[in-house]
Amino acid sequence: MPCQSSDELKELVKEARPIAKQGRVADYIPALGKANPNDLSIAINYPDGRCFSAGDIERKISLQSISKVITLALVLMDRSKEYVFARVGMEPTGDPFNSIAKLETMAPSKPLNPMINAGALAVTNMIKGDSVEERFQRLLAFIRNLSGNDTIEYNEEIARSEFETAHLNRALCYFLKQHHIIEGDVEQLIDLYTKQCAIEMNCLDLSRIGLVFALDGVDPQLGKQIMPMNIARICKTFMVTCGMYNASGEFAIKIGIPAKSGVSGGIMGAVPGKFGIGIFGPALDDKGNSIAGIRLLELLSKTYNLSMF
Ligand code: DON
């Protein structure tokens, strides 16, 4: 069933778009700096296959930090809760996504949660496989399965651009290695992590993955459990407590749905039991979240009473 353009969503996009002027496109990864700050699009996917959209929902975006919640799901399936949470915590930080500060001041020195970069790097390091290529292909296969789109690939230019400039992430990795949270070669981990972040899809694919989380791991088309329910629930809980970094508290109050953002301007939302959301709006606020995307979700949540609280 094709995704249907929706006048109601178009109205909300029109209302949300002006705030994009107050944001900035991420340029610390040079390849992301080319995005148009005024873009704003949304797709909403329902369990019965209905889909509604506004804006250019076919445009591809790199997942960036949205990948963190998907990698967490894979690693929880690969390993166990005990294994994963011995190496990364479950608490929000109140710090920016790439902060190193708490690694130094907390004892034991383990990342506070899997959504900040330090925790995400530790989680990516846990993906099973004998080589970077094998581990990456396993993640890609999982993402293709969740989205129902087996053409999903990664953007080599974006991966390379981040690989060449990921100095802070390398610093986080060496810190983690010193404290035995990760083992192995840091360059290989950065290679895997930057490819993970550069996986590309459009809003439609993103809303489809959001829907699998919304349905506690059930594929809506096949009616089959493709991720264990308890793992989908752990991921959604992290989306609520840490998904928007140090804006997660305000986001929970104003919008009240599990969501995960990325610096490319993507937001994946999962309205429990109801629908999945994919948003793209590359102008970011000062916390690295899509500024118009958040405004759009706020309007959507108010209009349709979506808050789970
Ligand atoms: O590690 C990084 O810097 C990026 N690849 C991902 C960061 C990100 O998306 C933070 N989200 N708002």
Side-chain angles (χ1 to χ4, degrees):
M1 195 185 299
C3 200
Q4 206 181 315
S5 167
S6 151
D7 289 341
E8 283 174 52
L9 288 179
K10 272 191 207 156
E11 275 308 306
L12 297 183
V13 164
K14 202 167 138 200
E15 207 178 326
R17 197 193 304 271
I19 203 172
K21 286 195 180 58
Q22 294 174 34
R24 282 194 62 212
V25 169
D27 55 8
Y28 76 99
I29 300 172
L32 294 183
K34 298 175 186 166
N36 176 357
N38 290 318
D39 280 342
L40 185 60
S41 47
I42 179 167
I44 292 184
N45 231 300
Y46 283 85
D48 61 5
R50 282 175 308 139
C51 174
F52 299 98
S53 70
D56 181 5
I57 53 153
E58 301 288 336
R59 186 189 300 274
K60 282 189 183 164
I61 56 164
S62 58
L63 284 178
Q64 299 303 329
S65 286
I66 300 171
S67 66
K68 292 170 178 172
V69 72
I70 303 171
T71 309
L72 175 66
L74 176 65
V75 161
L76 284 166
M77 286 160 73
D78 263 3
R79 311 270 179 180
S80 65
K81 266 194 315 196
E82 291 68 27
Y83 182 96
V84 173
F85 295 121
R87 291 160 180 81
V88 55
M90 300 183 188
E91 302 303 332
T93 64
D95 296 326
F97 66 87
N98 53 6
S99 176
I100 201 165
K102 293 244 164 59
L103 279 184
E104 200 175 12
T105 55
M106 301 280 291
S109 191
K110 81 178 190 187
L112 273 165
N113 69 68
M115 300 294 116
I116 50 169
N117 283 12
L121 287 158
V123 168
T124 297
N125 196 53
M126 296 177 213
I127 300 174
K128 279 191 176 166
D130 289 334
S131 62
V132 168
E133 180 58 16
E134 189 186 332
R135 294 157 87 198
F136 180 68
Q137 288 303 330
R138 289 192 59 245
L139 175 63
L140 197 57
F142 183 53
I143 287 178
R144 288 174 174 172
N145 192 21
L146 291 177
S147 62
N149 179 353
D150 61 12
T151 68
I152 286 175
E153 268 299 344
Y154 80 104
N155 180 314
E156 286 183 32
E157 186 200 348
I158 292 176
R160 198 176 319 114
S161 179
E162 182 173 5
F163 184 83
E164 284 165 4
T165 53
H167 311 303
L168 197 47
N169 282 336
R170 283 184 174 82
L172 290 169
C173 287
Y174 283 109
F175 212 103
L176 295 172
K177 192 166 171 164
Q178 175 71 27
H179 291 276
H180 308 291
I181 303 290
I182 65 169
E183 312 286 340
D185 185 73
V186 167
E187 287 305 298
Q188 284 189 11
L189 175 53
I190 294 290
D191 186 18
L192 179 57
Y193 175 77
T194 50
K195 283 182 175 142
Q196 160 190 322
C197 289
I199 291 173
E200 275 190 326
M201 62 180 65
N202 61 33
C203 282
L204 212 55
D205 300 318
L206 207 53
S207 66
R208 174 77 204 280
I209 299 180
L211 178 58
V212 175
F213 281 107
L215 299 178
D216 282 339
V218 172
D219 180 315
Q221 240 107 73
L222 307 174
K224 203 176 97 190
Q225 197 84 37
I226 52 174
M227 179 195 305
M229 180 194 274
N230 69 323
I231 290 181
R233 287 190 172 173
I234 290 171
C235 291
K236 271 188 288 187
T237 312
F238 277 122
M239 286 161 81
V240 169
T241 57
C242 318
M244 309 300 282
Y245 303 106
N246 43 337
S248 299
E250 188 178 342
F251 187 88
I253 288 172
K254 287 189 176 163
I255 293 148
I257 63 167
K260 183 74 206 85
S261 66
V263 283
S264 52
I267 303 178
M268 179 179 77
V271 183
K274 291 192 178 138
F275 52 81
I277 305 172
I279 286 182
F280 176 54
L284 307 180
D285 61 20
D286 57 0
K287 296 187 172 151
N289 298 318
S290 169
I291 190 165
I294 288 188
R295 174 57 61 86
L296 179 56
L297 279 173
E298 200 180 331
L299 295 169
L300 197 69
S301 181
K302 281 212 178 88
T303 309
Y304 299 105
N305 197 20
L306 300 181
S307 175
M308 55 193 277
F309 301 108

